[in-house]
Amino acid sequence: MSSRRVERFAPSPTGPLHLGHAFSALTAARGADRFLLRMEDIDTARSRPDWEAAIEQDLHWLDLDWERPVLRQSERLPLYRDAVARLTAAGLTYACTCTRGDIRAALSAPQEGAPVTGPDGLVYPGTCRRAGHPEEANAIRLDMAAAIAALGGDEAVRRLTFTELDEGPEGQTGCIPLDPDALRTGVGDIVLARRDIGTSYHVAVVVDDAAQAITHVTRGRDLFEATPIHRILQALLDLPTPLYRHHRLIRDADGKRLAKRDDARALSLLRAQGWTPADIRRAIGLSDS
Ligand code: GLU
Ligand code: ZN
């Protein structure tokens, strides 16, 4: 049983599927014993039921099928809240009252040096680490240094690894250890829960990959930098770690990366222009012929 491969496709229903999504979904489904679909719709301001329906239609058109029920993250917020509460009870979080403007201003102070950009954007300067006011919090953040200490310190964190079955942006592959210095300075005190949505992508994804017993995560290489965050959250929350495959990014004919908002290459549009599923497979290099 343990060798059964459980894969998922986890789109955010905030827009149409593109060729890159088709590559993720088809690659994940191809070798899977069980293939699951998860709607990552925690951003309720941007997620829409009609995008969900359109996504399912595109996937069916590609001849994919998946187990029911489809897991919908917007229905699971209490579970994500519990996970953050566990980290808070362990003393590993703090309330952040900063606005985006506050963070930019703090980072532009001369003593701060050059701002560092991490997987979630600008690395938070830690302003609220000691002075948070939970009642006014805009976000709950992970105290990364405290988290590393709680896991047993730098040496212990270096022994935490994840397996990359494809490769990262710099050719990283195989068994990849976490880097405590990179986590502290290049990732920093990430947001675990935004006030408006009560959680974050990172918390929801590790809770759900565990809940769905996912053995293999297939997703684009643009998410490779998020995986050390997921790995440390799995360690802190005692969750299993799947294997990861971060695939090459699919570019359009001009070699441009397909942006999420670039609807010109939406699968539905290609379909309307007469493309067949076989044409899609050929365009992304997945055809057997
Ligand atoms: N929901 C994410 C996206 O559509 C994918 C998350 C994942 O595969 O881990 O970009
Ligand atoms: Zn703050």
Side-chain angles (χ1 to χ4, degrees):
M1 284 306 277
S2 59
S3 63
R4 278 169 61 83
R5 182 169 185 145
V6 185
E7 296 245 10
R8 56 26 169 221
F9 178 58
S12 304
T14 56
L17 295 189
H18 291 138
L19 290 172
H21 296 106
F23 189 91
S24 290
L26 288 166
T27 310
R30 189 157 61 174
D33 296 298
R34 296 178 57 207
F35 181 56
L36 310 180
L37 180 61
R38 174 162 88 224
M39 291 295 171
E40 302 211 320
D41 60 346
I42 52 176
D43 189 345
T44 47
R46 295 176 54 226
S47 298
R48 293 204 333 240
D50 45 335
W51 285 127
E52 258 183 59
I55 286 170
E56 296 205 13
Q57 202 182 6
D58 285 344
L59 295 174
H60 276 137
W61 179 65
L62 289 171
D63 205 22
L64 291 171
D65 206 358
W66 50 90
E67 292 181 20
R68 310 300 194 278
V70 172
L71 192 132
R72 195 176 277 118
Q73 290 191 324
S74 58
E75 293 167 356
R76 297 171 52 77
L77 297 176
L79 289 149
Y80 311 141
R81 225 170 280 134
D82 286 351
V84 175
R86 281 175 58 198
L87 299 173
T88 297
L92 303 180
T93 73
Y94 61 89
C96 174
T97 55
C98 298
T99 61
R100 277 174 210 273
D102 294 337
I103 295 172
R104 269 195 299 270
L107 286 170
S108 64
Q111 70 274 14
E112 284 295 332
V116 178
T117 303
D120 285 355
L122 290 173
V123 173
Y124 182 65
T127 321
C128 296
R129 203 174 289 139
R130 263 171 286 278
H133 301 284
E135 338 50 78
E136 302 153 30
N138 286 320
I140 306 293
R141 289 184 180 274
L142 180 68
D143 185 333
M144 188 61 83
I148 290 168
L151 289 168
D154 287 17
E155 274 315 306
V157 167
R158 278 189 204 100
R159 285 193 297 272
L160 293 177
T161 61
F162 65 91
T163 300
E164 175 61 60
L165 298 174
D166 194 314
E167 60 181 37
E170 284 153 32
Q172 306 94 319
T173 191
C175 179
I176 300 176
L178 297 193
D179 174 347
D181 290 319
L183 283 168
R184 273 185 299 257
T185 60
V187 175
D189 295 348
I190 51 147
V191 170
L192 297 173
R194 256 165 58 175
R195 175 161 66 183
D196 53 345
I197 62 177
T199 184
S200 63
Y201 160 62
H202 302 304
V203 168
V205 81
V206 298
V207 167
D208 286 347
D209 283 338
Q212 293 188 293
I214 302 300
T215 62
H216 292 65
V217 167
T218 298
R219 58 189 179 195
R221 203 158 286 164
D222 52 334
L223 284 169
F224 180 82
E225 309 293 344
T227 302
I229 299 174
H230 300 172
R231 183 66 189 90
I232 197 165
L233 289 175
Q234 287 155 359
L236 292 167
L237 293 167
D238 249 323
L239 300 173
T241 303
L243 306 173
Y244 289 91
R245 188 171 32 188
H246 294 94
H247 62 73
R248 65 189 165 83
L249 297 176
I250 306 298
R251 288 161 203 275
D252 70 11
D254 310 323
K256 276 192 314 206
R257 196 174 134 189
L258 289 162
K260 212 153 190 179
R261 288 173 200 289
D262 174 16
D263 295 351
R265 303 315 269 169
L267 296 180
S268 51
L269 214 89
L270 298 174
R271 180 166 71 227
Q273 289 168 2
W275 288 47
T276 66
D279 293 331
I280 302 283
R281 284 172 204 263
R282 212 168 300 121
I284 58 184
L286 279 181
S287 78
D288 298 323
S289 54

